[in-house]
Amino acid sequence: MYSEKVIDHFTNPRNVGEIEKADGVGQVGNAKCGDIMRITLEIEDNIIKDIKFKTFGCGAAVATSSMVTEMVKGKSLEEALEISNAAVAEALGGLPETKMHCSNLAADAVHVAIKNYQEKRMKV
Ligand code: FES
């Protein structure tokens, strides 16, 4: 069913919470089930210094959220934008076919948060 990595990230999720005064905020909903993922970023010199997530969703959504935070922390914005939802699922050792749609939130929420940051900077 689930890989050991999925179970590990679900039972011991990394980077849970919300960054106060975040530089970028991204929230996306899964059209299939209505679950929601929210990502907050702290960005310094084009690098993701800190990232936190809150996910109101299933175990696979929590695991993919947790995994994507580990994948992008310390990365440049360009590198983070290159990480796809499929890459997150792959890093978890895959997801059952019926749960693949759950990985649609992870990288998307990060990308939305980065775009939110870039838009805010353009307005300053
Ligand atoms: Fe909604 Fe998994 S069932 S994200």
Side-chain angles (χ1 to χ4, degrees):
M1 238 309 249
Y2 286 121
S3 71
E4 272 179 34
K5 275 191 189 168
V6 172
I7 293 167
D8 175 34
H9 277 268
F10 173 62
T11 52
N12 180 27
R14 286 46 149 195
N15 305 306
V16 176
E18 172 130 1
I19 296 171
E20 274 187 48
K21 297 185 187 150
D23 297 309
V25 178
Q27 186 165 311
V28 294
N30 191 321
K32 286 213 174 190
C33 61
D35 290 348
I36 291 170
M37 183 186 296
R38 181 179 170 85
I39 293 270
T40 46
L41 299 174
E42 180 187 334
I43 297 166
E44 206 179 295
D45 296 333
N46 204 50
I47 301 290
I48 297 177
K49 284 278 186 201
D50 201 7
I51 175 167
K52 298 241 184 275
F53 82 89
K54 276 186 182 168
T55 291
F56 307 95
C58 71
V62 170
T64 49
S65 306
S66 171
M67 177 52 94
V68 81
T69 63
E70 287 212 315
M71 289 171 82
V72 304
K73 203 168 184 175
K75 293 268 190 337
S76 71
L77 300 186
E78 291 74 20
E79 287 169 327
L81 282 169
E82 275 175 19
I83 292 172
S84 66
N85 291 325
V88 177
E90 200 174 304
L92 282 167
L95 285 168
E97 194 54 41
T98 53
K99 301 300 277 181
M100 274 310 284
H101 75 94
C102 309
S103 67
N104 289 349
L105 298 175
D108 282 354
V110 172
H111 297 172
V112 170
I114 290 172
K115 285 181 183 136
N116 172 251
Y117 165 75
Q118 290 171 331
E119 280 167 14
K120 280 199 282 191
R121 272 177 56 112
M122 279 170 67
K123 282 183 193 153
V124 176

